[in-house]
Amino acid sequence: MRRSFPLAALGVLAISGCLSGGYDEDFRSSLGRYRQDGELQRLRATPHKLADDRLALRVPKIFEAENATGENPRSKPTFLQDFPGFRVAFEVLREAEGTQFPVVLSVGVLTDKESSLEDIKKSILNQVQKEAAFAKASWAVAEGQPDSGGRTPWTVLKLSGQQPFERIVAGNPETKNTDGETHIWVASDPASKVSAVLAWRVPREVAATVSLDDLAGLVARTVEFRAAAEPEPGAAAPGVAPAE
């Protein structure tokens, strides 16, 4: 009896430890989901679909306007007018010292034969490096991103310092060099043959109102790459007349 009691006690402690370990793991998992759900509240609930549904992403709620033509000069960075696969730009104007400053997210989507990631990165870098301030700019792997699930990891070009930003003074737009941040994120999914370009621009005067490092990574995690839809059985291929 004396020997059996310590053994039984050890058994109870072992079971208790196992249960405690399982509880701790479940708690950590639940806490992670709670935090992620809380962060996602900063984004629109419905994904924004582009390029015939080949790409979808959750857009931050802060943006109040969008432009899909690219004609608005603020839709693209001035040093990246040849924006790969431009589809849409989202914008909000934030006021500081009596002046309105734009915060912009520009989105590009390239599909199929246009989706070569290395070509996209080279095209962007060649344009960016023509700016003297960014002559030594280079790509880096984005930090804090989860498993890519087979996609290429997000890489980012961070451009900090003096750069041209349009602002609105007394209702009149003007472009002026000022401190700010431009972050260009790119990734590709070889399986679906889709690549994405996300370009964020925030002038220093309103940077405190937009946590760019947090928001850019959060949006990148919501991006979905999708393969082209399969044609319905019996449907004619594009450009081919149906048989009579």
Side-chain angles (χ1 to χ4, degrees):
M1 290 290 295
R2 290 194 185 96
R3 286 195 298 271
S4 63
F5 177 78
L7 290 175
L10 288 174
V12 170
L13 288 174
I15 293 172
S16 174
C18 291
L19 292 175
S20 174
Y23 171 81
D24 290 344
E25 184 177 347
D26 289 344
F27 176 77
R28 286 192 295 269
S29 178
S30 298
L31 185 60
R33 288 195 300 270
Y34 175 79
R35 287 173 175 167
Q36 181 174 336
D37 289 345
E39 290 178 334
L40 291 175
Q41 293 302 312
R42 302 163 66 185
L43 309 180
R44 297 177 188 172
T46 303
H48 193 97
K49 299 177 182 179
L50 297 165
D52 296 326
D53 292 351
R54 298 289 298 276
L55 183 134
L57 76 164
R58 298 271 298 275
V59 179
K61 293 177 180 178
I62 62 168
F63 291 119
E64 299 172 348
E66 63 182 80
N67 175 269
T69 66
E71 295 176 356
N72 185 326
R74 297 192 296 270
S75 294
K76 308 171 187 176
T78 57
F79 44 79
L80 190 58
Q81 287 300 296
D82 185 12
F83 195 104
F86 177 84
R87 301 286 173 165
V88 66
F90 302 94
E91 176 187 87
V92 62
L93 295 175
R94 291 290 173 87
E95 188 166 333
E97 301 175 0
T99 299
Q100 290 183 307
F101 296 90
V103 177
V104 182
L105 166 61
S106 305
V107 182
V109 184
L110 300 101
T111 61
D112 304 321
K113 293 182 180 180
E114 299 176 326
S115 64
S116 168
L117 186 62
E118 291 308 312
D119 289 346
I120 295 168
K121 291 168 66 175
K122 183 178 180 180
S123 171
I124 292 172
L125 195 59
N126 285 344
Q127 294 180 70
V128 166
Q129 289 183 335
K130 290 179 181 178
E131 287 282 316
F134 306 136
K136 296 182 179 180
S138 61
W139 293 99
V141 175
E143 298 179 358
Q145 290 297 299
D147 178 49
S148 63
R151 301 189 304 271
T152 59
W154 285 96
T155 53
V156 61
L157 196 61
K158 292 190 175 183
L159 311 172
S160 305
Q162 289 282 321
Q163 51 192 289
F165 283 100
E166 185 176 289
R167 60 188 65 204
I168 305 201
V169 183
N172 298 312
E174 64 176 41
T175 300
K176 182 179 179 181
N177 266 17
T178 186
D179 276 341
E181 296 280 339
T182 296
H183 293 185
I184 305 173
W185 290 58
V186 298
S188 179
D189 177 25
S192 63
K193 298 182 180 178
V194 178
S195 293
V197 181
L198 310 179
W200 298 80
R201 306 200 72 216
V202 181
R204 175 189 56 79
E205 289 85 348
V206 295
T209 70
V210 180
S211 181
L212 184 55
D213 285 327
D214 293 337
L215 203 55
L218 180 61
V219 171
R221 293 203 300 271
T222 72
V223 172
E224 299 176 45
F225 299 84
R226 300 171 178 174
E230 293 290 337
E232 295 182 6
V240 178
E244 296 183 359

